């Protein structure tokens, strides 16, 4: 069993030593523990610090591509390194490395494909009250949408087995946390949540500059990802609402028509017909989008099968 702990980094030379020092050297049930630092275009000495600390693997990206891209690149690199389990932690030392055994336990026991570390919700004193409230409310919303029992939907302290990591394809530019859960829901991965500890804050978040920006980016990401993975549901609901909205003025016109006053209310028929037409076209768009989504999943499956074949060939060559 090979565990790789990946750490996406952008200018983390000050906190990286603390992150790496707390990563356990031995874990029961794990034969090999290796560290992967993903340098997301750092302009400081992050790479030099990683080398001085004896980091096993360093992946350097061209330019600052963002956390989501760095996370996805790390997964792909870790899979190429034959990782059986991949743990993702942040480079700002927010998460307690000592909790890694607790985080990967459900995977080692065969109970989960993905495990998300829960930072304690309202009880976490390391976060301001507004952030704790947003975490609880937002996680509740995402839990209802994805139907996954995850207490902290935006926690970056996560563990994945090889299969789930290989099937993930993060396309968001903002953050991988929400998209990953929607994808896991669609793929029917087993997702577990375990309580973890956090360390005191070392710096402000680089993902957003204000609370309104965070809310806008999170909600837009959730909407975009959900439409991408479940387009038929979204467009059907929207189309049916438009149809119902169109029925209101149509019924109003019919009622006046039977009372002999239909001539003066023709605008209700026109308005209702317009809404009903848009509603029908919206449902049809949903059908087309669902076919496109199905085709994308077929392509993903073909690429996944190709990767499996390449792995088998490489294993045979090594033997």
């Amino acid at each position: 069993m090979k565990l790789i702990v990946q750490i996406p980094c952008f200018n983390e030379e000050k906190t990286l030593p603390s992150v790496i020092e707390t990563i356990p050297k031995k874990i029961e049930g794990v034969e090999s523990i290796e560290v992967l630092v993903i340098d997301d275009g750092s302009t400081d000495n992050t790479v030099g610090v990683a080398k001085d600390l004896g980091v096993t693997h360093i992946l350097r990206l061209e330019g600052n591509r963002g956390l989501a891209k760095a996370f996805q690149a790390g997964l792909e690199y870790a899979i190429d390194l034959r990782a059986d389990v991949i743990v993702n932690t942040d480079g700002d030392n927010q998460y307690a490395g000592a909790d890694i055994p607790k985080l990967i336990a459900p995977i080692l026991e065969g109970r989960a494909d993905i495990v998300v570390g829960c930072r304690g919700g309202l009880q976490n004193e390391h976060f301001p009250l507004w952030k704790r409230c947003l975490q609880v409310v937002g996680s509740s919303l995402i839990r209802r949408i994805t139907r996954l029992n995850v207490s902290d939907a935006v926690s970056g302290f996560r563990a994945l087995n090889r299969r789930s990591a290989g099937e993930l394809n993060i396309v968001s530019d903002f953050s991988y946390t929400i998209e990953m859960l929607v994808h896991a829901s669609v793929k029917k991965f087993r997702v577990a949540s375990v309580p973890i500890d956090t360390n005191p804050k070392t710096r402000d978040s680089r993902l957003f500059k204000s609370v309104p920006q965070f809310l806008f980016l999170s909600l837009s990401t959730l909407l975009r990802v959900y439409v991408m993975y479940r387009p038929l549901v979204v467009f059907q609901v929207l189309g049916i609402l438009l149809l119902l909205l169109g029925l209101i003025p149509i019924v109003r016109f019919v009622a006046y028509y039977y009372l002999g006053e239909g001539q003066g209310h023709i605008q209700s028929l026109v308005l209702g017909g317009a809404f009903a037409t848009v509603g029908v076209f919206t449902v049809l768009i949903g059908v087309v989008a669902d076919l496109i989504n199905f085709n994308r999943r077929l392509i993903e499956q073909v690429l996944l099968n190709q990767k499996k074949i390449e792995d088998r060939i490489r294993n045979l060559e090594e033997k």
Side-chain angles (χ1 to χ4, degrees), residues 1-3 25-34 84:
M1 180 68 68
K2 183 176 184 178
L3 167 66
K25 302 300 185 291
K26 293 183 180 180
I27 300 176
E28 185 177 353
V30 177
E31 298 173 359
S32 172
I33 302 175
E34 299 176 5
D84 297 298

Side-chain angles (χ1 to χ4, degrees), residues 112-113 125 153-154 167 193 241 244 294:
D113 301 304
E125 297 180 354
V154 293
E167 295 189 30
S193 181
L241 288 176
L244 292 176
F294 183 74

Side-chain angles (χ1 to χ4, degrees), residues 289-299:
D290 190 60
L291 291 174
I292 294 173
N293 176 53
F294 183 74
N295 185 61
R296 177 183 57 79
R297 290 188 327 210
L298 286 177
I299 294 173

Side-chain angles (χ1 to χ4, degrees), residues 79-119:
I79 291 172
D80 288 340
L81 293 172
R82 309 295 183 82
D84 297 298
V85 181
I86 303 168
V87 166
N88 183 84
T89 189
D90 287 353
D92 62 356
N93 198 35
Q94 176 183 162
Y95 306 108
D99 283 336
I100 290 178
K102 184 194 305 183
L103 189 70
I104 68 173
I107 293 178
L108 298 183
E109 295 167 3
R111 296 186 289 109
D113 301 304
I114 297 173
V115 184
V116 181
C118 175
R119 293 169 291 181

